[in-house]
């Protein structure tokens, strides 16, 4: 058995694993072994549907030391007027370049693709070789993203029924009378938009939505000087909504009235929140689909019929089902980030996993003990239901207050490319930046008290 020695063993070459490795290698003399089951870096992006794009600007994604994209504003399509959204192919090419042009040339990173981590430092390559990795710490991504192409539908599919993951849509050449999109999340939204973009009439689309979701407005999540005031106003509106809210329902009414949250169907109360981001143009397109089925989850599909939790729906015989029902983030509870010989990568800022992994690596390299490190990196739970919006804000606010109180940490966070706030403060005057930080420092304790009060009603 071959033995490799390193300071860190990183399991997975996805966005979080690479963002962690990039910062760690850049800020220390650590050696790292990266093990990944895929042929190339990129994690779930390597198996995502071919028309997938980031739903946040490219400027906020990737690794901290290397920009993603060309920093341009789209002129056409449903993202026109906003900063570019990298395609899945661009993201995969970017991560491949990060590994081969940046990490491997340091001489301190060993990359083992097409290999399975068996536990206890043991790795098995595709060729059957067992490798023992002796490392001081093992780094794992606590939540593994699952996309539809990674597993079979969770419901029964009768012979003769065509059910495909979104990955297969570009290969479909035979038109169908009806296209049934199964799922309520961002993948389903993207699949609906893909069908509409390619000329499928809204009347031929059936959208099975077990739940309605709150989504974020892309206009409020933009880098660049021209958007700085919009982004700051949105954040101020979030704080105002919390401060003014008299109850949980009232909070979400206020967040919607102020444009902080939006929903596709204004007549349905959302029971889902996953940090999905849509432009106003995308919202308008999705609202063109009138045949929305709200009868729970699909139990079975057979020729001419769909069985759901709350009843049966008949459909035309020439049907293509697009399965978008994978859970995505999963439902693992948060855990301690730094624990003995383990580091569990999790978000420490709302809806920004790559930035969070970079923060964790910086804290690992710059601070002397796990008590201090964990105090700076309280894990923010991944969102599933609307009240998670409050839970995420509460813990991230606590993290921010810790960062603000540490000048070295604050300087690093303020300069980090992956930090959304960096793009705002970089485009305002020094005096305005100081006012922003002062406002946050003074208001967040009060906001957190109100968030706890509202959460007590849940």
């Amino acid at each position: 058995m071959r033995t490799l020695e390193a300071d860190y063993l990183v399991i997975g070459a996805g966005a979080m694993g690479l963002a962690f490795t990039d910062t760690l290698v850049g800020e220390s003399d650590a050696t790292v072994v990266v093990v990944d089951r895929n042929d190339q870096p990129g994690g779930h992006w390597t198996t995502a549907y071919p028309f997938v794009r980031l739903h946040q600007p490219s400027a906020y994604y990737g690794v901290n030391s290397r920009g993603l994209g060309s920093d341009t504003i789209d002129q056409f399509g449903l993202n026109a007027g906003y900063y570019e959204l990298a395609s899945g192919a661009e993201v995969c090419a970017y991560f491949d370049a990060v590994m081969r042009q940046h990490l491997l040339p340091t001489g301190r990173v060993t990359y083992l693709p097409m290999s399975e981590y068996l536990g206890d430092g043991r790795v098995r390559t595709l060729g059957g070789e067992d490798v023992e990795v002796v490392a001081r710490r093992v780094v794992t991504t606590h939540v593994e993203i699952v996309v539809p192409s990674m597993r079979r539908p969770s419901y029964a599919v009768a012979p003769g029924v065509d059910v495909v993951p979104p990955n297969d849509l570009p290969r479909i050449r035979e038109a169908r009378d009806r296209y049934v999109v199964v799922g309520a999340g961002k993948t389903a939204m993207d699949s609906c938009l893909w069908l509409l973009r390619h000329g499928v009439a809204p009347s031929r689309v059936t959208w099975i939505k077990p739940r309605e979701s709150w989504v974020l407005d892309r206009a409020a999540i933009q880098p660049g000087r021209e958007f700085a005031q919009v982004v700051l106003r949105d954040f101020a509106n979030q704080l105002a909504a919390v401060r003014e809210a008299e109850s949980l329902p009232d909070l979400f009414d206020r967040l919607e009235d102020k444009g902080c949250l939006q929903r596709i169907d204004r007549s349905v109360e959302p029971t889902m929140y996953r940090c999905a981001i849509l432009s106003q143009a995308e919202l308008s397109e999705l609202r063109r689909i009138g045949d929305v089925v709200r009868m729970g989850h699909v139990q079975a599909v057979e020729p001419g019929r769909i069985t759901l939790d709350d009843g049966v729906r008949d459909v035309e015989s020439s049907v293509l089902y697009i399965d978008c029902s994978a859970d995505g983030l999963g439902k693992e509870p948060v855990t301690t980030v730094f624990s003995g010989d383990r580091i569990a990568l999790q978000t420490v800022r709302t809806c920004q996993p790559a930035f969070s992994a970079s923060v964790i690596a910086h804290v690992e390299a710059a601070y002397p003990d796990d008590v201090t490190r964990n105090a700076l990196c309280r894990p923010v739970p991944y969102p599933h239901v609307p009240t998670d919006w409050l839970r995420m804000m509460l813990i991230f606010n606590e993290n921010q207050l810790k960062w603000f109180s540490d000048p070295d940490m604050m300087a690093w966070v303020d300069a980090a490319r992956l930090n959304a706030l960096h793009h705002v403060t970089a485009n305002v005057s020094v005096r305005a930046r100081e006012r922003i930080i002062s406002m946050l420092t003074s208001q967040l304790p009060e906001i957190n008290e109100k968030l706890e009060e509202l959460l007590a009603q849940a």
Side-chain angles (χ1 to χ4, degrees), residues 87-392:
S87 69
E90 289 174 307
V91 172
C92 287
Y94 167 86
F95 283 132
D96 189 63
V98 166
M99 177 62 76
R100 301 189 184 282
Q101 297 174 13
H102 178 59
L103 296 178
L104 292 179
T106 66
R108 292 185 285 122
V109 175
T110 301
Y111 174 44
L112 301 177
M114 295 300 292
S115 299
E116 286 289 337
Y117 182 60
L118 305 177
D120 297 324
R122 291 172 53 241
V123 178
R124 181 163 296 158
T125 68
L126 176 65
E129 179 189 13
D130 284 351
V131 179
E132 180 184 16
V133 181
V134 179
R136 182 168 61 85
R137 277 189 144 163
V138 176
V139 183
T140 60
T141 302
H142 184 60
V143 175
E144 184 174 359
I145 296 175
V146 177
V147 297
S149 63
M150 293 180 175
R151 51 72 164 153
R152 297 175 62 83
S154 57
Y155 43 87
V157 178
V161 178
D162 290 336
V163 180
V164 299
N167 302 56
D168 289 356
L169 277 178
R171 294 191 287 270
I172 300 296
R173 291 292 180 264
E174 180 186 349
R176 308 301 172 93
D177 296 330
R178 182 151 299 276
Y179 298 83
V180 179
V181 178
V182 181
K186 187 62 169 60
T187 301
M189 298 174 197
D190 285 351
S191 296
C192 289
L193 291 168
W194 188 90
L195 291 168
L196 298 174
R197 183 168 69 251
H198 289 283
V200 176
S203 60
R204 291 165 60 194
V205 178
T206 295
W207 191 358
I208 297 178
K209 291 179 73 175
R211 300 178 290 172
E212 187 67 24
S213 179
W214 287 115
V215 297
L216 302 168
D217 185 352
R218 192 171 296 128
I221 307 170
Q222 294 292 309
R225 181 179 298 275
E226 62 270 54
F227 291 101
Q229 293 303 317
V230 175
V231 175
L232 289 172
R233 184 167 59 249
D234 178 74
F235 187 67
N237 284 339
Q238 293 179 47
L239 299 184
V242 172
R243 191 181 299 108
E244 298 163 4
E246 299 177 0
S247 65
L248 274 174
D250 183 50
L251 170 63
F252 286 100
D253 286 345
R254 292 176 185 274
L255 289 170
E256 185 173 34
D257 290 344
K258 295 175 186 293
C260 305
L261 292 176
Q262 50 192 5
R263 49 183 156 168
I264 298 167
D265 190 337
R266 299 185 185 95
S267 69
V268 178
E269 187 67 26
T271 58
M272 176 179 171
Y273 175 62
R274 305 299 291 269
C275 284
I277 305 169
L278 294 174
S279 68
Q280 291 296 321
E282 289 169 327
L283 270 179
S284 297
E285 279 294 286
L286 292 170
R287 286 170 179 157
R288 295 173 62 206
I289 299 175
D291 187 18
V292 178
V293 179
R294 301 185 184 277
M295 299 169 64
H297 294 86
V298 173
Q299 297 297 322
V301 291
E302 54 190 304
R305 175 171 294 187
I306 310 169
T307 302
L308 302 107
D309 292 336
D310 301 327
V312 174
R313 170 69 184 266
D314 294 331
V315 291
E316 298 93 331
S317 57
S318 175
V319 180
L320 179 68
Y321 292 88
I322 302 102
D323 177 55
C324 305
S325 61
D327 194 27
L329 295 175
K331 297 180 179 178
E332 287 292 320
V334 297
T335 189
T336 304
V337 173
F338 301 94
S339 180
D341 62 353
R342 303 279 170 170
I343 298 177
L345 299 180
Q346 295 158 91
T347 53
V348 296
R349 188 196 194 284
T350 55
C351 307
Q352 282 202 289
F355 170 64
S356 297
S358 185
V359 169
I360 292 168
H362 169 71
V363 169
E364 168 72 5
Y367 291 85
D369 61 86
D370 283 356
V371 172
T372 304
R373 294 173 181 135
N374 283 319
L376 292 166
C377 295
R378 285 196 61 196
V380 175
Y382 286 96
H384 293 89
V385 296
T387 49
D388 287 335
W389 185 94
L390 290 82
R391 295 184 180 94
M392 295 169 76

